[in-house]
Amino acid sequence: MNDPMSTPWGELKLSRFPEDPRDRLRAWDASDAYLLEHLSEQAVDLSGSLVVLGDRWGALVTALAAHRPVQITDSYLGQEATRANLARNGVEPGTVGLLTTQDTPPERIDVLLVRVPKSLALLEDQLLRLAPAVHEGTVVVGTGMVKEIHTSTLTLFERILGPTRTSLARRKARLIFCAPDPARERPANPWPYAYTLPDGIGAVSGRRVVNHAGVFCADRLDIGTRFFLRHLPDTRGARRVVDLGCGNGVVGTALALDNPRAEVLFTDESFQAIASAQATYQANDVPGHAEFRVGDGLSGVAAGSVDLVLNNPPFHSHLATTDTTAWRMFTGARRVLRPGGELWGGGNRHLGYHVKLRRLFGNCHLVAGDPKFVVLRAVKR
Ligand SMILES: C[S@@+](CC[C@H](N)C(=O)[O-])C[C@H]1O[C@@H](n2cnc3c(N)ncnc32)[C@H](O)[C@@H]1O
């Protein structure tokens, strides 16, 4: 928990999720504050159907809870933070609707508030999904930090909803005002996007991979993932495998194609990623058994229950470079592996994951490396 957020309707106590007392990062920013100030200064009518897209940690819906908003998010961590923030500010469960980017959106939207996401593709997909519910009288206001709002962001609002302009900057944040024009011909939604994988990457060579908007490297195979795929373990004996931070599921699907006896758990904190992994798996008629779970790292997976964890950890969180998640993923892997079980991790060489793994596991072996990427293996003793 850190500084309270002061809003036109009072102070809010807000935290990120998972809560970490050492984490000094705030659960809100100037763009959230600017949007709330605007709604209050302009006395925007919030009595109709209010939808908040992309609210990072729930600051917006917590402030606006009296108007019974619906939040739409792609992030499990964001949704859990929202639940906790609503509770700590005394909001009754059920007051705020909690939807994911995969859920059917509300049929009618009178006020649409958009915290601009990092991924332009996700914004495109979500605006196209919400557009049929938007009418001529819908108030549409977007918000983001100046560095997050580009010409392409404004063009997207303009192309999908209607004429769009921006506000002056306030504390390095900016608002987006869009006047919906229902007569506008909307482009077809290009998401989800499927493509054929290249040759030379083992079991998934020439296979299809399905990507919902916003997943990691949705339009092409990431070069780090490609390197990881070329060096996956030969695991004839491994039964219980986790693809941790699975994204579009290409790594777990490759492992499953090679090991029909493996049971693969695909897990990710993004609802779009889990939908993609499931679609990729289904598109490839993979033999064996798989489970798909949205969650935070390996929480909920029993200690000592896993033979193999595959992980290409994230090193960005909402625009900041961070290794906190990688560290939590490695710690989780050590907990869920049975003695003798292995973590195989792919990543950029410069991130120095071998140091962390050696500290945690007491060992770390270089499976393969090139000037940019490494594949590392750590064994649970
Ligand atoms: C670098 S991408 C790797 C995706 C995929 N495995 C690949 O190699 O193409 C990292 C993934 O970790 C996911 N992630 C980030 N934080 C997470 C968390 N706390 N728990 C689970 N997954 C998380 C991201 O959504 C993203 O899909």
Side-chain angles (χ1 to χ4, degrees), residues 17-18 74 76-77 214-217 220-222 224-226 228-229 243-252 267-271 273 293-298 310-317 325-326 328-329 346:
F17 180 90
D74 174 39
Y76 171 85
L77 302 183
V215 301
F216 174 72
C217 241
R220 67 194 185 285
L221 183 63
D222 170 64
T225 305
R226 175 194 286 251
F228 196 20
L229 286 169
D243 182 353
L244 171 59
C246 62
N248 61 22
V250 66
V251 172
T267 185
D268 202 291
E269 80 92 23
S270 151
F271 294 96
R293 197 188 293 174
V294 179
D296 177 21
L298 289 156
L310 303 171
N311 182 218
N312 172 13
F315 54 95
H316 287 108
S317 166
T325 309
R328 285 185 37 243
M329 285 179 160

Side-chain angles (χ1 to χ4, degrees), residues 11-306:
E11 283 208 338
L12 300 178
K13 292 170 277 176
L14 300 169
S15 257
R16 296 188 175 205
F17 180 90
E19 251 193 277
D20 177 352
R22 288 160 308 173
D23 185 358
R24 301 312 304 158
L25 294 170
R26 285 192 317 199
W28 53 278
D29 65 17
S31 71
D32 297 317
Y34 194 178
L35 176 57
L36 294 173
E37 285 157 18
H38 167 80
L39 297 176
S40 163
E41 284 161 13
Q42 300 301 313
V44 173
D45 179 5
L46 300 171
S47 60
S49 154
L50 168 61
V51 170
V52 181
L53 174 65
D55 192 8
R56 296 279 159 90
W57 306 100
L60 295 174
V61 292
T62 305
L64 298 169
H67 304 283
R68 308 187 76 83
V70 170
Q71 183 198 62
I72 301 177
T73 180
D74 174 39
S75 167
Y76 171 85
L77 302 183
Q79 196 178 67
E80 288 305 296
T82 303
R83 273 186 229 284
N85 285 328
L86 291 170
R88 65 167 64 87
N89 289 281
V91 179
E92 288 290 321
T95 308
V96 173
L98 297 177
L99 297 185
T100 81
T101 43
Q102 286 286 311
D103 290 327
T104 306
E107 275 176 16
R108 180 187 166 92
I109 302 175
D110 298 314
V111 178
L112 174 60
L113 307 178
V114 181
R115 173 64 176 93
V116 169
K118 189 173 122 191
S119 159
L120 200 63
L122 184 59
L123 181 63
E124 176 185 38
D125 174 62
Q126 291 300 303
L127 290 183
L128 284 167
R129 283 169 61 102
L130 298 181
V134 167
H135 53 87
E136 205 171 4
T138 303
V139 175
V140 180
V141 190
T143 191
M145 300 308 291
V146 168
K147 63 179 185 235
E148 298 166 335
I149 298 178
H150 311 284
T151 310
S152 51
T153 319
L154 305 177
T155 309
L156 213 53
F157 275 91
E158 180 106 24
R159 199 162 55 88
I160 298 171
L161 294 180
T164 300
R165 62 189 174 84
T166 51
S167 71
L168 293 174
R170 194 184 275 184
R171 297 185 301 271
K172 297 190 183 156
R174 206 181 268 286
L175 299 180
I176 298 170
F177 304 112
C178 175
D181 171 11
R184 178 154 302 213
E185 203 176 310
R186 280 192 300 275
N189 194 339
W191 301 99
Y193 173 68
Y195 64 88
T196 302
L197 290 161
D199 288 335
I201 50 169
V204 282
S205 297
R207 297 278 187 157
R208 297 287 282 170
V209 61
V210 184
N211 300 270
H212 284 269
V215 301
F216 174 72
C217 241
D219 53 356
R220 67 194 185 285
L221 183 63
D222 170 64
I223 44 172
T225 305
R226 175 194 286 251
F227 190 73
F228 196 20
L229 286 169
R230 283 177 40 219
H231 300 284
L232 284 184
D234 173 6
T235 56
R236 310 275 151 209
R239 291 302 303 271
R240 210 151 140 75
V241 180
V242 182
D243 182 353
L244 171 59
C246 62
N248 61 22
V250 66
V251 172
T253 298
L255 191 289
L257 281 167
D258 253 349
N259 301 269
R261 287 175 59 230
E263 293 169 20
V264 185
L265 168 65
F266 293 82
T267 185
D268 202 291
E269 80 92 23
S270 151
F271 294 96
Q272 299 285 93
I274 290 301
S276 308
Q278 200 153 10
T280 296
Y281 188 87
Q282 278 162 3
N284 287 289
D285 299 321
V286 187
H289 178 79
E291 200 190 319
F292 302 86
R293 197 188 293 174
V294 179
D296 177 21
L298 289 156
S299 61
V301 178
S305 65
V306 171

